[in-house]
Amino acid sequence: MRICVAGAYGAFGLKHLDALAQIDEVKVTSIMGPTQAKIDALAAEREIGHAATTLDECLARDDVDAVILCTPTNLHAAQSIACMKAGKHVLVEIPMADSLADSLEIVRVQEETGVVAMAGQVRRFNPSHQWIHNKIQAGELTLQQLDAQTYFFRRTNTNAKGEARSWTDHLLWHHACHTVDLFQYQTGGPAVAAHGLQGPMHPDLGIAMDMSIGLKAANGAICTLSLSFNNDGPFGTFFRYICDNGTYIARYDDLYDGNDNKIDLSGVAVSNNGIELIDREFISAIKEGHTPNGAVADVLGAMATLDRIEKSF
C-alpha cells in the first residue's frame, strides 16, 4: 500500500507518519507540506522519496494508492473530492467538511467513484472508547449521560505545535465534531434533539471562544458538551461516561473508573494508539474491499447534527 500524507508537516501529519511506520506492507511514497524547504527536510529525515507543496503533484503520481489528508479544515472537502476523482482512496482528518452541503457532496462523489473514503473520527478507535462501545454492544452497560469537556487556551491563531495557522480553527465544526459523532456512535443513531449556545466572538479571530452543546439520543441518553478556547489549564478533551452500571472517564487512549482507577485496555486492540488503529482500519478496508468504520456516509449523520446545532445559535 503506497500512501501520500498531505499536511505531513503539521502536528497530526506527524502522528500519522509515526503510526504508518508501525504497519506492515505500507510505504509512505509522497508527502505534501507548506514550503518546499520544510517538506524536503521532513522527507529526508523520514527517508520518503517524494515531497511537494501541492496536492495535484502528489495525486499525479503512479506510486500513490491512497491519501491521508491532514490539511487545513477549509480545504478538506475540495481536496477529498480531488483525491477520489483521481482514483485515490482517502482518509480525511476531522472534520471531513465545514458544512453539511460539502459533506453531502463528498458522500455523493464517494458513491460515484467507489473508492474508500473515510473520515478521521479517531474517537471511534481510541481503546478507551472502544472498551465502552464493546460493553454497550454486549448489553453490559447502558449510557445515561456523556459529559465531555473540550478545553484549550488559544488567544492567537496557532496550531497544536504552537506555530501560526493559515486558517482559523472552529469549536463547532472541528472540535465538537469529535464528540457529536462519538455520542451518536455509542448510542446507535442520530440525536433526536440538538441545540447549542455560543459565547462572545473573538474580535480578531471572528469565532466564538466558548460553546455549550446539548444532545439527546432516541433511547433517552443525553450528552452535555462544553468547549472553550479560554480555559487556562490542560489542553484536550475529557469524557465522563455515566452509565447504569458504573462511571468511566476517558482521556484519549486511557480509561479510568469513576474513582480514577485505571482500567487495563491491553486486550482491546492490536495497538494502544488511536491514530494507528484508524490508519489500520483505512488500509484494511482498501485491501479487503470492505466499508470502513467511519466511512464518510456513516459520519454524515454527525455533520447533519452539527448543521442543526449551528442553526440553533
Side-chain angles (χ1 to χ4, degrees):
M1 185 68 59
R2 301 166 301 178
I3 294 179
C4 166
V5 177
Y9 189 78
F12 269 79
L14 295 174
K15 288 179 184 288
H16 280 283
L17 288 177
D18 291 340
L20 292 167
Q22 304 302 313
I23 304 174
D24 293 336
E25 299 180 2
V26 169
K27 182 178 178 62
V28 178
T29 54
S30 177
I31 54 175
M32 188 199 85
T35 68
Q36 199 65 53
K38 287 181 176 180
I39 204 64
D40 281 345
L42 181 60
E45 176 190 330
R46 300 288 182 126
E47 299 182 345
I48 297 167
H50 175 257
T53 58
T54 68
L55 182 62
D56 287 345
E57 182 177 333
C58 301
L59 294 180
R61 296 182 64 84
D62 293 333
D63 62 351
V64 170
D65 303 310
V67 179
I68 297 178
L69 290 173
C70 308
T71 50
T73 293
N74 60 307
L75 302 177
H76 285 182
Q79 289 183 337
S80 297
I81 290 167
C83 290
M84 291 187 284
K85 288 188 173 181
K88 314 295 186 184
H89 307 285
V90 61
L91 166 59
V92 55
E93 265 296 343
I94 71 112
M96 65 175 175
D98 55 8
S99 73
L100 179 57
D102 283 346
S103 301
L104 286 165
E105 180 63 9
I106 289 171
V107 173
R108 188 195 69 78
V109 174
Q110 187 282 320
E111 292 171 347
E112 177 184 273
T113 60
V115 301
V116 172
M118 185 175 169
Q121 298 289 356
V122 70
R123 298 293 169 261
R124 296 182 179 216
F125 296 89
N126 292 122
S128 53
H129 299 296
Q130 278 202 54
W131 189 93
I132 295 288
H133 189 74
N134 294 342
K135 294 286 186 182
I136 291 173
Q137 294 299 107
E140 298 174 21
L141 290 177
T142 299
L143 180 63
Q144 307 295 314
Q145 179 177 183
L146 175 61
D147 184 83
Q149 299 174 333
T150 296
Y151 291 156
F152 302 90
F153 188 77
R154 184 172 296 159
R155 301 296 177 79
T156 57
N157 201 16
T158 53
N159 64 16
K161 294 169 68 178
E163 299 175 344
R165 268 199 173 114
S166 61
W167 55 287
T168 304
D169 202 359
H170 199 282
L171 286 177
L172 179 65
W173 284 98
H174 185 176
H175 297 289
C177 184
H178 276 301
T179 302
V180 169
D181 179 74
L182 177 66
F183 179 69
Q184 296 187 164
Y185 178 63
Q186 300 290 39
T187 56
V192 297
H195 66 268
L197 299 170
Q198 61 181 6
M201 307 297 282
H202 190 281
D204 300 320
L205 298 178
I207 56 172
M209 299 292 283
D210 291 276
M211 196 170 290
S212 174
I213 289 172
L215 306 171
K216 186 174 184 178
N219 66 358
I222 62 172
C223 173
T224 303
L225 170 60
S226 170
L227 307 104
S228 181
F229 283 144
N230 282 318
N231 185 69
D232 190 2
F235 283 17
T237 304
F238 312 99
F239 302 86
R240 180 180 293 268
Y241 286 94
I242 301 173
C243 304
D244 63 334
N245 190 25
T247 294
Y248 302 93
I249 301 165
R251 302 184 179 110
Y252 293 97
D253 294 312
D254 296 321
L255 185 68
Y256 302 81
D257 68 17
N259 294 303
D260 222 28
N261 298 305
K262 192 170 186 178
I263 294 174
D264 181 11
L265 302 176
S266 57
V268 173
V270 297
S271 169
N272 287 326
N273 182 331
I275 299 294
E276 179 185 334
L277 293 173
I278 199 170
D279 287 352
R280 286 183 179 275
E281 175 72 1
F282 178 51
I283 291 159
S284 69
I286 297 168
K287 287 185 174 181
E288 299 168 13
H290 68 78
T291 301
N293 182 3
V296 291
D298 190 26
V299 174
L300 189 59
M303 311 310 285
T305 299
L306 292 175
D307 182 69
R308 288 168 62 196
I309 295 166
E310 185 173 59
K311 289 174 178 174
S312 75
F313 290 149

